[in-house]
Amino acid sequence: MFSPSQEEHCAPNKEPVKYGELVVLGYNGSLPNGDRGRRKSRFALYKRPKANGVKPSTVHVISTPQASKAVSCKGQHSISYTLSRNQTVVVEYTHDKDTDMFQVGRSTESPIDFVVTDTISGCQNNDETQITQSTISRFACRIVCDRSPPYTARIFAAGFDSSKNIFLGEKAAKWKNPDGHMDGLTTNGVLVMHPKGGFTEESKPGVWREISVCGDVYTLRETRSAQQRGKLVENETNILQDGSLIDLCGATLLWRTADGLFHTPTQKHIEALRQEINAARPQCPVGLNTLAFPSINRKDVVEEKQPWAYLSCGHVHGYHNWGHRSDTQANERECPMCRTVGPYVPLWLGCEAGFYVDAGPPTHAFTPCGHVCSEKSAKYWSQIPLPHGTHAFHAACPFCATQLSGEHNCIKLIFQGPID
């Protein structure tokens, strides 16, 4: 999963150090048209053959736009803060041999390591789905990892462009801190939420914060692009933890540490759970036909033996065409087992292992999409308010980004075993 340039420099038979992985919410293991190059559903960050981190050095206060261009064209990384038409503060950055920098954004230019596009709810994300106006910044954020243990990863808003510059224009929120250093926020902001208790069975959602260009932590603005920044949260940091969520206003990413991934179920484990369920030969209680979850590489095609469920009660059936309550609400059906009325949908196994907080069996389905995972994983994601648009928050299925609904956002499935 690392680029050829990294592969070439790795010592033979020696595993490169892995800092962690970024997993995009809304994709069940891969992008709908397949993962290609820097555009994929998850991105692994490995220690680079040579450090490429940068740290702030010289500060210039410049009164003419031409002079500011001259400073930022010297081939050195810099951040330009435009205060007025005739005053710009340029902070030059110098090489840092102790850190590796990875950049995330919508741009396909070479400084971006991980290209992220807007997530369309329900996984209907294909080339034909044109986003009229993306809200993800072209150079959205950068993650800086220490090259020595414990390989701490920190997040900063904004990324350096092809001319190695971050440019905060007149309209961007920016300010001078009491200690004299400049800082600012990007247009739609980079939000981060660290879960309470790590990414485990006991985890609880944390509080969403905004990260500044220099990595300080602030309370949220009134809306994503408001001019007024939130309050500085002094006792919190920009250090990413296992399970930290990063929202780029159009896509949300989950950060998993290398150690966290080591304790997470693997793709093989999820496949074994799928085979175990199918081996128990669950049956449709009405048609008495045997049901089976399709294989992971057929995860988008409804198959004949596919299990379906009534999401108000959790009873699992095979597909049938009766029980419609009205023509207007085509998806509202009456369960033949308990007469409960509600959505009736095909069930899909959640295949992206990074979203699981435990290795439990797939017993619960998110409502209304029907993605199935372990009870603790379902309950964890059901209570997380994910940013939506510029000022709304709602819980969503991590596998397809569909907004959750129903009494608890998820339901325990009731399978019927074989009668023989």
Side-chain angles (χ1 to χ4, degrees):
M1 281 186 76
F2 44 90
S3 67
S5 59
Q6 285 169 301
E7 215 161 354
E8 288 156 17
H9 290 86
C10 290
N13 306 324
K14 197 179 171 203
E15 280 285 306
V17 170
K18 186 182 199 174
Y19 297 129
E21 285 191 16
L22 289 167
V23 191
V24 190
L25 266 60
Y27 301 106
N28 196 9
S30 65
L31 298 185
N33 296 318
D35 292 347
R36 297 191 193 121
R38 291 174 295 152
R39 194 171 290 191
K40 46 195 166 190
S41 67
R42 56 157 62 198
F43 173 67
L45 283 70
Y46 287 95
K47 186 174 182 176
R48 296 187 184 274
K50 226 170 108 190
N52 74 331
V54 291
K55 56 188 176 187
S57 61
T58 327
V59 178
H60 304 269
V61 179
I62 286 155
S63 54
T64 67
Q66 287 76 13
S68 129
K69 279 203 181 84
V71 170
S72 56
C73 283
K74 288 202 316 196
Q76 221 173 339
H77 287 83
S78 64
I79 302 183
S80 307
Y81 300 88
T82 305
L83 302 178
S84 65
R85 201 162 291 171
N86 47 20
Q87 194 183 30
T88 299
V89 176
V90 177
V91 181
E92 285 193 349
Y93 277 62
T94 184
H95 176 67
D96 181 2
K97 66 177 184 357
D98 299 319
T99 62
D100 284 338
M101 178 170 71
F102 301 87
Q103 300 208 141
V104 182
R106 186 170 46 89
S107 171
T108 53
E109 289 179 32
S110 58
I112 294 295
D113 297 282
F114 187 29
V115 178
V116 176
T117 49
D118 295 67
T119 303
I120 309 291
S121 170
C123 271
Q124 299 308 304
N125 222 1
N126 54 36
D127 294 339
E128 289 76 59
T129 316
Q130 287 297 314
I131 303 285
T132 46
Q133 185 98 47
S134 176
T135 43
I136 300 173
S137 170
R138 294 177 64 244
F139 298 91
C141 70
R142 56 201 195 279
I143 291 169
V144 176
C145 302
D146 289 347
R147 286 174 66 84
S148 52
Y151 306 116
T152 304
R154 293 176 174 82
I155 183 164
F156 299 82
F160 293 99
D161 63 18
S162 296
S163 59
K164 298 183 177 175
N165 191 33
I166 290 171
F167 182 80
L168 293 178
E170 260 184 88
K171 289 184 179 165
K174 67 191 102 52
W175 59 90
K176 186 183 270 193
N177 281 310
D179 64 0
H181 83 260
M182 293 296 300
D183 203 352
L185 304 172
T186 54
T187 306
N188 287 323
V190 172
L191 309 188
V192 170
M193 188 201 82
H194 305 302
K196 292 175 187 156
F199 197 66
T200 64
E201 301 175 20
E202 276 73 51
S203 296
K204 292 278 179 283
V207 180
W208 283 99
R209 303 293 194 204
E210 179 160 13
I211 302 295
S212 74
V213 170
C214 293
D216 283 339
V217 181
Y218 288 85
T219 58
L220 301 190
R221 291 179 264 182
E222 278 199 10
T223 61
R224 286 298 282 251
S225 55
Q227 292 275 276
Q228 191 61 42
R229 71 177 190 266
K231 290 190 175 76
L232 179 67
V233 185
E234 296 194 40
N235 60 343
E236 292 181 24
T237 72
N238 63 337
I239 294 174
L240 294 173
Q241 306 163 13
D242 190 35
S244 290
L245 287 166
I246 302 163
D247 188 80
L248 305 177
C249 197
T252 307
L253 284 61
L254 172 71
W255 170 255
R256 297 302 314 267
T257 60
D259 185 56
L261 287 166
F262 185 74
H263 295 99
T264 291
T266 59
Q267 206 78 48
K268 267 189 182 157
H269 178 77
I270 292 172
E271 173 59 18
L273 290 173
R274 183 187 78 85
Q275 290 180 11
E276 208 175 298
I277 283 190
N278 291 352
R281 293 174 52 230
Q283 287 198 334
C284 174
V286 178
L288 301 182
N289 48 317
T290 303
L291 308 173
F293 278 99
S295 68
I296 283 172
N297 58 2
R298 305 261 312 154
K299 63 177 191 278
D300 299 318
V301 185
V302 179
E303 300 198 339
E304 199 184 338
K305 289 184 168 184
Q306 186 112 10
W308 286 61
Y310 287 89
L311 294 182
S312 292
C313 57
H315 281 112
V316 178
H317 290 256
Y319 179 72
H320 50 244
N321 205 12
W322 63 80
H324 290 283
R325 290 306 293 260
S326 69
D327 294 336
T328 50
Q329 291 186 296
N331 205 25
E332 291 286 299
R333 304 270 198 101
E334 182 180 272
C335 172
M337 300 295 285
C338 65
R339 313 299 298 269
T340 307
V341 175
Y344 173 66
V345 300
L347 297 178
W348 305 98
L349 200 58
C351 304
E352 175 48 77
F355 298 145
Y356 282 75
V357 298
D358 68 339
T363 54
H364 283 61
F366 288 107
T367 57
C369 61
H371 276 105
V372 179
C373 63
S374 68
E375 177 180 7
K376 286 183 172 163
S377 299
K379 289 187 172 170
Y380 176 70
W381 288 104
S382 293
Q383 54 186 331
I384 288 191
L386 293 168
H388 180 71
T390 54
H391 51 265
F393 288 82
H394 60 227
C397 169
F399 301 105
C400 69
T402 298
Q403 183 175 346
L404 300 181
S405 60
E407 199 180 337
H408 302 292
N409 290 338
C410 64
I411 186 96
K412 182 174 173 28
L413 297 171
I414 304 165
F415 285 93
Q416 176 165 302
I419 290 172
D420 48 39

